């Protein structure tokens, strides 16, 4: 899978919650046949949060793993990218029920997926 680290000017991380789930996680998703991790993320960000990007907007951060938020007993392995979105404003679309910009302190008040909680919540 591919996931995005999108930080706003206030240092907050963008998290999304899919319909029918409680955990907030980084936007992204699973690849379709033949897609590279970067292609997957560009497609998923367009579908899920309406961002129009290309691969040049993505900076690879590496491969990370953590327990899956919505599938007990499974582990998620994600190719993670830092993503610059310019002046675009993400909006919840497709299966996304809600999006939030959160600091580490605010994240303690919501259910955050292990991948985001372990590696990507901002320090401030």
């Amino acid at each position: 899978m591919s996931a995005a680290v999108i930080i706003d000017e206030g240092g907050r991380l963008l998290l999304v919650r899919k319909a029918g789930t409680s955990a907030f996680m980084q936007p992204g998703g699973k690849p379709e046949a033949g897609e590279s991790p970067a292609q997957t993320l560009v497609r998923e960000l367009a579908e899920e949060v309406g961002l129009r990007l290309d691969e040049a907007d993505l900076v690879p951060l590496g491969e990370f793993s953590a327990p899956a938020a919505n599938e007990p007993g499974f582990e998620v392995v994600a190719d993670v990218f830092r993503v610059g979105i310019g002046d675009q404003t993400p909006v919840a679309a497709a299966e996304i029920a809600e999006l939030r910009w959160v600091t580490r302190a605010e994240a303690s008040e919501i259910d955050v997926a292990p991948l985001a909680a372990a590696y990507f919540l901002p320090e401030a």
Side-chain angles (χ1 to χ4, degrees):
M1 93 168 269
S2 296
V5 172
I6 302 172
I7 306 288
D8 72 2
E9 294 170 357
R12 300 173 302 169
L13 177 67
L14 177 65
L15 296 177
V16 299
R17 184 180 60 77
K18 295 183 178 185
T21 67
S22 62
F24 282 83
M25 61 191 61
Q26 298 156 253
K30 297 174 183 161
E32 292 182 353
E35 281 184 330
S36 71
Q39 290 168 331
T40 298
L41 191 56
V42 167
R43 177 185 51 77
E44 288 283 348
L45 291 174
E47 292 172 3
E48 291 185 349
V49 292
L51 297 174
R52 301 293 172 213
L53 304 165
D54 60 43
E55 292 181 45
D57 299 310
L58 311 181
V59 177
L61 297 177
E63 185 178 272
F64 296 83
S65 61
N70 297 314
E71 299 175 69
F74 288 90
E75 181 175 65
V76 63
V77 178
D79 290 289
V80 180
F81 298 84
R82 184 179 319 114
V83 179
I85 63 171
D87 62 356
Q88 297 183 72
T89 301
V91 294
E95 72 267 21
I96 303 303
E98 184 179 0
L99 61 80
R100 288 192 190 182
W101 293 97
V102 299
T103 64
R104 181 173 290 280
E106 293 165 337
S108 67
E109 300 170 11
I110 60 174
D111 181 11
V112 176
L115 185 75
Y119 300 109
F120 301 109
L121 284 173
E123 292 304 318

